Amino acid sequence: MTSGARLVILGRQGAGKGTQCVRLSRHFVVPHISTGDMLRAAVREDTEVGIAVKEIMDTGGLVGDTTMVALVQKRISLDDARTRGYILDGFPRTVFQAQAFDEMSVDQPLHVVLDLVVPREMVVQRLSARRVCRDCGANFTASGVEPRPWTCENCGGDVVHRADDTPEAINRRLDLYESQTAPLIEFYGRTGRLVEINGVGSPDDVFSRVTTAVDARR
Ligand code: AMP
């Protein structure tokens, strides 16, 4: 069994990050830290953060950097992340967040940042049909004949249509990806931490490309 790794997965929304992260988390036996999942849980639980971010999330905007950095700092200081590592999914999303993350992880730096590359035209359709497990984050594709309620085959959680998977919010998120998140490719590339992965193909093919890249860097 391979275990332990500190990874960041970048890539457009709908590039298959969620699916790959769930598998990677099992493969390397590390927690999958999805900031989107953490925020959605906060919204469901009506916490102070949840109430503050709900509208931003529903309309496809970006939550403020300070909130995000504090959330991640707290999460990676927990025992499981400190001893085993983590897969960061959805964070960092801005250069500010990436710089703050470097500062908070100096003693345990990232092994590698993977950029899952899928063209924009391909992801819009995928996102509209996407359904997500509320508990484990597994992704599914709706075909129109789903069971109701739809239960996740991995963990038994509820499979739902995300409030921000509407055409307007999808386009806004993709625009924000180009303007705010794509600069991270240069940021991590400059410091030799980036590996681009072709994200087009079957989930198994992409997974094998991803694990090969991680194994070469750990
Ligand atoms: P995701 O599940 O990663 O697509 O995230 C869903 C939504 O949560 C995003 O559209 C943002 O509104 C918010 N969000 C998640 N992670 C971040 C982040 N690192 N910075 C800012 N907003 C975020």
PDB file of all heavy atoms in Angstrom, residues 167-185:
ATOM      1  N   PRO A 167     -26.498  27.054 -15.550  1.00  0.00           N
ATOM      2  CA  PRO A 167     -25.676  27.616 -16.631  1.00  0.00           C
ATOM      3  C   PRO A 167     -25.021  28.947 -16.278  1.00  0.00           C
ATOM      4  O   PRO A 167     -23.845  29.167 -16.557  1.00  0.00           O
ATOM      5  CB  PRO A 167     -26.679  27.788 -17.783  1.00  0.00           C
ATOM      6  CG  PRO A 167     -27.767  26.808 -17.496  1.00  0.00           C
ATOM      7  CD  PRO A 167     -27.843  26.658 -15.993  1.00  0.00           C
ATOM      8  N   GLU A 168     -25.768  29.850 -15.589  1.00  0.00           N
ATOM      9  CA  GLU A 168     -25.204  31.172 -15.254  1.00  0.00           C
ATOM     10  C   GLU A 168     -24.028  31.016 -14.286  1.00  0.00           C
ATOM     11  O   GLU A 168     -22.960  31.601 -14.482  1.00  0.00           O
ATOM     12  CB  GLU A 168     -26.243  32.080 -14.575  1.00  0.00           C
ATOM     13  CG  GLU A 168     -27.483  32.391 -15.379  1.00  0.00           C
ATOM     14  CD  GLU A 168     -28.443  31.199 -15.468  1.00  0.00           C
ATOM     15  OE1 GLU A 168     -28.469  30.376 -14.527  1.00  0.00           O
ATOM     16  OE2 GLU A 168     -29.145  31.078 -16.494  1.00  0.00           O
ATOM     17  N   ALA A 169     -24.261  30.250 -13.218  1.00  0.00           N
ATOM     18  CA  ALA A 169     -23.204  30.102 -12.201  1.00  0.00           C
ATOM     19  C   ALA A 169     -22.004  29.343 -12.771  1.00  0.00           C
ATOM     20  O   ALA A 169     -20.852  29.647 -12.458  1.00  0.00           O
ATOM     21  CB  ALA A 169     -23.765  29.407 -10.959  1.00  0.00           C
ATOM     22  N   ILE A 170     -22.272  28.371 -13.642  1.00  0.00           N
ATOM     23  CA  ILE A 170     -21.171  27.606 -14.249  1.00  0.00           C
ATOM     24  C   ILE A 170     -20.276  28.552 -15.055  1.00  0.00           C
ATOM     25  O   ILE A 170     -19.055  28.557 -14.923  1.00  0.00           O
ATOM     26  CB  ILE A 170     -21.724  26.473 -15.166  1.00  0.00           C
ATOM     27  CG1 ILE A 170     -22.338  25.368 -14.311  1.00  0.00           C
ATOM     28  CG2 ILE A 170     -20.633  25.926 -16.081  1.00  0.00           C
ATOM     29  CD1 ILE A 170     -23.115  24.325 -15.098  1.00  0.00           C
ATOM     30  N   ASN A 171     -20.910  29.408 -15.876  1.00  0.00           N
ATOM     31  CA  ASN A 171     -20.114  30.328 -16.700  1.00  0.00           C
ATOM     32  C   ASN A 171     -19.338  31.312 -15.847  1.00  0.00           C
ATOM     33  O   ASN A 171     -18.192  31.631 -16.135  1.00  0.00           O
ATOM     34  CB  ASN A 171     -20.995  31.035 -17.720  1.00  0.00           C
ATOM     35  CG  ASN A 171     -21.160  30.154 -18.941  1.00  0.00           C
ATOM     36  OD1 ASN A 171     -20.175  29.692 -19.516  1.00  0.00           O
ATOM     37  ND2 ASN A 171     -22.390  29.869 -19.316  1.00  0.00           N
ATOM     38  N   ARG A 172     -19.965  31.777 -14.764  1.00  0.00           N
ATOM     39  CA  ARG A 172     -19.264  32.724 -13.887  1.00  0.00           C
ATOM     40  C   ARG A 172     -18.055  32.033 -13.254  1.00  0.00           C
ATOM     41  O   ARG A 172     -16.960  32.601 -13.165  1.00  0.00           O
ATOM     42  CB  ARG A 172     -20.253  33.201 -12.805  1.00  0.00           C
ATOM     43  CG  ARG A 172     -19.607  34.065 -11.763  1.00  0.00           C
ATOM     44  CD  ARG A 172     -20.446  35.303 -11.429  1.00  0.00           C
ATOM     45  NE  ARG A 172     -19.681  36.215 -10.581  1.00  0.00           N
ATOM     46  CZ  ARG A 172     -19.954  36.447  -9.304  1.00  0.00           C
ATOM     47  NH1 ARG A 172     -20.988  35.853  -8.730  1.00  0.00           N
ATOM     48  NH2 ARG A 172     -19.204  37.276  -8.605  1.00  0.00           N
ATOM     49  N   ARG A 173     -18.243  30.789 -12.801  1.00  0.00           N
ATOM     50  CA  ARG A 173     -17.121  30.088 -12.164  1.00  0.00           C
ATOM     51  C   ARG A 173     -15.986  29.843 -13.154  1.00  0.00           C
ATOM     52  O   ARG A 173     -14.808  29.939 -12.816  1.00  0.00           O
ATOM     53  CB  ARG A 173     -17.608  28.765 -11.562  1.00  0.00           C
ATOM     54  CG  ARG A 173     -18.291  28.992 -10.218  1.00  0.00           C
ATOM     55  CD  ARG A 173     -19.360  27.968  -9.930  1.00  0.00           C
ATOM     56  NE  ARG A 173     -18.841  26.627  -9.833  1.00  0.00           N
ATOM     57  CZ  ARG A 173     -19.511  25.548 -10.224  1.00  0.00           C
ATOM     58  NH1 ARG A 173     -20.708  25.643 -10.747  1.00  0.00           N
ATOM     59  NH2 ARG A 173     -18.972  24.367 -10.086  1.00  0.00           N
ATOM     60  N   LEU A 174     -16.363  29.514 -14.398  1.00  0.00           N
ATOM     61  CA  LEU A 174     -15.307  29.262 -15.394  1.00  0.00           C
ATOM     62  C   LEU A 174     -14.560  30.555 -15.726  1.00  0.00           C
ATOM     63  O   LEU A 174     -13.341  30.546 -15.903  1.00  0.00           O
ATOM     64  CB  LEU A 174     -15.897  28.609 -16.644  1.00  0.00           C
ATOM     65  CG  LEU A 174     -16.353  27.161 -16.428  1.00  0.00           C
ATOM     66  CD1 LEU A 174     -17.156  26.656 -17.623  1.00  0.00           C
ATOM     67  CD2 LEU A 174     -15.145  26.239 -16.188  1.00  0.00           C
ATOM     68  N   ASP A 175     -15.291  31.691 -15.774  1.00  0.00           N
ATOM     69  CA  ASP A 175     -14.620  32.975 -16.023  1.00  0.00           C
ATOM     70  C   ASP A 175     -13.658  33.292 -14.884  1.00  0.00           C
ATOM     71  O   ASP A 175     -12.525  33.747 -15.109  1.00  0.00           O
ATOM     72  CB  ASP A 175     -15.641  34.119 -16.140  1.00  0.00           C
ATOM     73  CG  ASP A 175     -16.432  34.036 -17.446  1.00  0.00           C
ATOM     74  OD1 ASP A 175     -16.000  33.296 -18.345  1.00  0.00           O
ATOM     75  OD2 ASP A 175     -17.478  34.702 -17.544  1.00  0.00           O
ATOM     76  N   LEU A 176     -14.130  33.045 -13.647  1.00  0.00           N
ATOM     77  CA  LEU A 176     -13.264  33.323 -12.496  1.00  0.00           C
ATOM     78  C   LEU A 176     -12.042  32.397 -12.494  1.00  0.00           C
ATOM     79  O   LEU A 176     -10.956  32.769 -12.069  1.00  0.00           O
ATOM     80  CB  LEU A 176     -14.038  33.141 -11.182  1.00  0.00           C
ATOM     81  CG  LEU A 176     -14.895  34.339 -10.788  1.00  0.00           C
ATOM     82  CD1 LEU A 176     -15.791  33.991  -9.605  1.00  0.00           C
ATOM     83  CD2 LEU A 176     -14.008  35.537 -10.423  1.00  0.00           C
ATOM     84  N   TYR A 177     -12.250  31.185 -12.973  1.00  0.00           N
ATOM     85  CA  TYR A 177     -11.108  30.268 -13.071  1.00  0.00           C
ATOM     86  C   TYR A 177     -10.035  30.875 -13.985  1.00  0.00           C
ATOM     87  O   TYR A 177      -8.856  30.920 -13.631  1.00  0.00           O
ATOM     88  CB  TYR A 177     -11.550  28.890 -13.601  1.00  0.00           C
ATOM     89  CG  TYR A 177     -10.368  27.970 -13.752  1.00  0.00           C
ATOM     90  CD1 TYR A 177      -9.876  27.264 -12.649  1.00  0.00           C
ATOM     91  CD2 TYR A 177      -9.691  27.851 -14.959  1.00  0.00           C
ATOM     92  CE1 TYR A 177      -8.751  26.466 -12.753  1.00  0.00           C
ATOM     93  CE2 TYR A 177      -8.561  27.057 -15.077  1.00  0.00           C
ATOM     94  CZ  TYR A 177      -8.104  26.368 -13.971  1.00  0.00           C
ATOM     95  OH  TYR A 177      -6.978  25.587 -14.073  1.00  0.00           O
ATOM     96  N   GLU A 178     -10.466  31.375 -15.151  1.00  0.00           N
ATOM     97  CA  GLU A 178      -9.482  31.946 -16.100  1.00  0.00           C
ATOM     98  C   GLU A 178      -8.764  33.143 -15.475  1.00  0.00           C
ATOM     99  O   GLU A 178      -7.552  33.268 -15.589  1.00  0.00           O
ATOM    100  CB  GLU A 178     -10.129  32.442 -17.405  1.00  0.00           C
ATOM    101  CG  GLU A 178     -11.012  31.443 -18.144  1.00  0.00           C
ATOM    102  CD  GLU A 178     -10.313  30.159 -18.538  1.00  0.00           C
ATOM    103  OE1 GLU A 178      -9.072  30.143 -18.614  1.00  0.00           O
ATOM    104  OE2 GLU A 178     -11.006  29.143 -18.736  1.00  0.00           O
ATOM    105  N   SER A 179      -9.537  34.032 -14.794  1.00  0.00           N
ATOM    106  CA  SER A 179      -8.902  35.261 -14.323  1.00  0.00           C
ATOM    107  C   SER A 179      -8.156  35.078 -13.007  1.00  0.00           C
ATOM    108  O   SER A 179      -7.111  35.684 -12.804  1.00  0.00           O
ATOM    109  CB  SER A 179      -9.932  36.384 -14.215  1.00  0.00           C
ATOM    110  OG  SER A 179     -10.872  36.077 -13.225  1.00  0.00           O
ATOM    111  N   GLN A 180      -8.675  34.256 -12.096  1.00  0.00           N
ATOM    112  CA  GLN A 180      -8.086  34.169 -10.751  1.00  0.00           C
ATOM    113  C   GLN A 180      -7.228  32.925 -10.515  1.00  0.00           C
ATOM    114  O   GLN A 180      -6.240  32.975  -9.796  1.00  0.00           O
ATOM    115  CB  GLN A 180      -9.200  34.157  -9.684  1.00  0.00           C
ATOM    116  CG  GLN A 180     -10.115  35.359  -9.741  1.00  0.00           C
ATOM    117  CD  GLN A 180      -9.388  36.636  -9.388  1.00  0.00           C
ATOM    118  OE1 GLN A 180      -8.667  36.689  -8.408  1.00  0.00           O
ATOM    119  NE2 GLN A 180      -9.531  37.654 -10.204  1.00  0.00           N
ATOM    120  N   THR A 181      -7.662  31.789 -11.073  1.00  0.00           N
ATOM    121  CA  THR A 181      -6.994  30.531 -10.734  1.00  0.00           C
ATOM    122  C   THR A 181      -5.930  30.130 -11.755  1.00  0.00           C
ATOM    123  O   THR A 181      -4.863  29.628 -11.375  1.00  0.00           O
ATOM    124  CB  THR A 181      -8.045  29.409 -10.554  1.00  0.00           C
ATOM    125  OG1 THR A 181      -9.058  29.883  -9.660  1.00  0.00           O
ATOM    126  CG2 THR A 181      -7.426  28.155  -9.968  1.00  0.00           C
ATOM    127  N   ALA A 182      -6.186  30.399 -13.046  1.00  0.00           N
ATOM    128  CA  ALA A 182      -5.201  30.015 -14.060  1.00  0.00           C
ATOM    129  C   ALA A 182      -3.808  30.610 -13.796  1.00  0.00           C
ATOM    130  O   ALA A 182      -2.801  29.955 -14.084  1.00  0.00           O
ATOM    131  CB  ALA A 182      -5.714  30.363 -15.455  1.00  0.00           C
ATOM    132  N   PRO A 183      -3.698  31.832 -13.213  1.00  0.00           N
ATOM    133  CA  PRO A 183      -2.351  32.342 -12.913  1.00  0.00           C
ATOM    134  C   PRO A 183      -1.541  31.431 -11.968  1.00  0.00           C
ATOM    135  O   PRO A 183      -0.318  31.525 -11.905  1.00  0.00           O
ATOM    136  CB  PRO A 183      -2.629  33.697 -12.238  1.00  0.00           C
ATOM    137  CG  PRO A 183      -3.942  34.137 -12.806  1.00  0.00           C
ATOM    138  CD  PRO A 183      -4.740  32.868 -12.999  1.00  0.00           C
ATOM    139  N   LEU A 184      -2.229  30.520 -11.265  1.00  0.00           N
ATOM    140  CA  LEU A 184      -1.494  29.608 -10.382  1.00  0.00           C
ATOM    141  C   LEU A 184      -0.626  28.635 -11.175  1.00  0.00           C
ATOM    142  O   LEU A 184       0.351  28.085 -10.663  1.00  0.00           O
ATOM    143  CB  LEU A 184      -2.470  28.788  -9.525  1.00  0.00           C
ATOM    144  CG  LEU A 184      -3.256  29.571  -8.482  1.00  0.00           C
ATOM    145  CD1 LEU A 184      -4.187  28.643  -7.723  1.00  0.00           C
ATOM    146  CD2 LEU A 184      -2.293  30.232  -7.524  1.00  0.00           C
ATOM    147  N   ILE A 185      -1.007  28.414 -12.423  1.00  0.00           N
ATOM    148  CA  ILE A 185      -0.237  27.485 -13.260  1.00  0.00           C
ATOM    149  C   ILE A 185       1.173  28.056 -13.433  1.00  0.00           C
ATOM    150  O   ILE A 185       2.174  27.355 -13.301  1.00  0.00           O
ATOM    151  CB  ILE A 185      -0.967  27.266 -14.600  1.00  0.00           C
ATOM    152  CG1 ILE A 185      -2.264  26.497 -14.302  1.00  0.00           C
ATOM    153  CG2 ILE A 185      -0.099  26.531 -15.611  1.00  0.00           C
ATOM    154  CD1 ILE A 185      -3.282  26.526 -15.395  1.00  0.00           C
TER     155      ILE A 185
END
